[in-house]
Structure formats: structure tokens, C-alpha cells
Amino acid sequence: MQTNDSINLLKECDAGTKMAVSSIDEVMNEVKNPKFKNILVECRGKHIEIGNKLHEILLQHDQKDKEPNPIAKGMSWMKTNLKMTMNDNDTTVADLITDGCNMGVKSLNRYLNQYSKANETAANLCKELIHLEEKLAADIRSFL
């Protein structure tokens, strides 16, 4: 049986994967460097894969998935479009994605602490997402 903490953590992680995929989609067409683009494509795929796992577990427990906060999503969209209008280069994209990764790591760690009674499966998926975000930020540092 899933605890409320497990369900809540899974839902927050699910929303996070959707936010990450959406953010990558917003900038993908602006990336010029093929290596950078490949990093983003690979990371996007991993977010989708983890999101699918989360969705499957939630469905098994008759739970609905969670969409990203519309205000956070709107603010991200505005920031991305403003910065890209001013300077549409790979450095700007790397800066935006790095900021998103840092916010994701911060939020996911907060949820991991908040939902401390989550089961091992939920906690491990959250940690996997945290690692993915940290790795993406590290992988794109050379484009800053």
C-alpha cells in the first residue's frame, strides 16, 4: 500500500518531468551546436522515460498525474522568450536550462524532505530525477 507521502512525491516528480520536457521543447529549435542539441535530446528522452514510470505507478494506485504549476510554467515561458528575444544563442539556452535544472534540484530535494515517509520506489525515482538534473547542468557548462 502506498502512503500519502509516496503518492505526493510521485505526483511532484511527475509534474517536474513534464516541466523539464516542456522547457527543453521551448528552446530546442534555437540550439545551434549539434553536441548541445544531442545532450538535450537525450535528457528529454530520459525525462519522458521516468515520467512514464511515474505515470504507470500512479495509475496502478488509481491516482491521477499532476501537471506543472501553471504560474511556474507561465513564468518560465515568459523568461525564456524574453531572454531568447534579447540574445538567441547557445549560451542563453545553456543559462536558461541550467537555471531550470537548479530549480528542479532544489524543488525535488524539498519534496524528498517534505515527504520523508515515501516508500523506497518513490524516493529512488525522485533521486534519479535529481541526479538527471544535476548531470544535465554539469554536461552543458561548456556552453555557458
Side-chain angles (χ1 to χ4, degrees), residues 27 35 42 51 62 65 113:
V27 297
K35 182 179 176 189
E42 183 179 317
D62 297 321
D65 56 345
N113 293 332

Side-chain angles (χ1 to χ4, degrees), residues 29-89:
N29 290 332
E30 304 301 325
V31 177
K32 286 134 182 97
N33 184 296
K35 182 179 176 189
F36 187 13
K37 188 170 268 201
N38 285 338
I39 291 169
L40 291 177
V41 166
E42 183 179 317
C43 190
R44 181 185 183 278
K46 288 179 181 177
H47 276 90
I48 290 171
E49 184 180 312
I50 294 170
N52 288 341
K53 286 181 196 175
L54 293 162
H55 185 72
E56 183 179 314
I57 294 168
L58 288 168
L59 283 177
Q60 288 172 359
H61 293 90
D62 297 321
Q63 298 291 320
K64 293 185 179 185
D65 56 345
K66 182 176 180 183
E67 293 299 320
N69 180 311
I71 295 171
K73 195 168 180 179
M75 294 292 285
S76 172
W77 182 87
M78 285 181 7
K79 178 181 178 181
T80 298
N81 284 289
L82 178 63
K83 281 194 166 195
M84 293 306 295
T85 298
M86 293 178 1
N87 197 356
D88 68 339
N89 60 34

Side-chain angles (χ1 to χ4, degrees), residues 1-18 47 49-68 107-108 111-112 114-129:
M1 179 75 181
Q2 295 279 8
T3 65
N4 282 341
D5 277 11
S6 298
I7 296 297
N8 289 332
L9 183 58
L10 291 168
K11 285 183 176 186
E12 294 300 345
C13 290
D14 185 50
T17 61
K18 291 175 183 173
H47 276 90
E49 184 180 312
I50 294 170
N52 288 341
K53 286 181 196 175
L54 293 162
H55 185 72
E56 183 179 314
I57 294 168
L58 288 168
L59 283 177
Q60 288 172 359
H61 293 90
D62 297 321
Q63 298 291 320
K64 293 185 179 185
D65 56 345
K66 182 176 180 183
E67 293 299 320
S107 295
L108 290 167
Y111 293 131
L112 195 56
Q114 181 179 348
Y115 302 120
S116 60
K117 294 180 182 165
N119 67 22
E120 187 177 352
T121 300
N124 285 343
L125 283 167
C126 186
K127 289 173 187 174
E128 186 177 349
L129 271 175

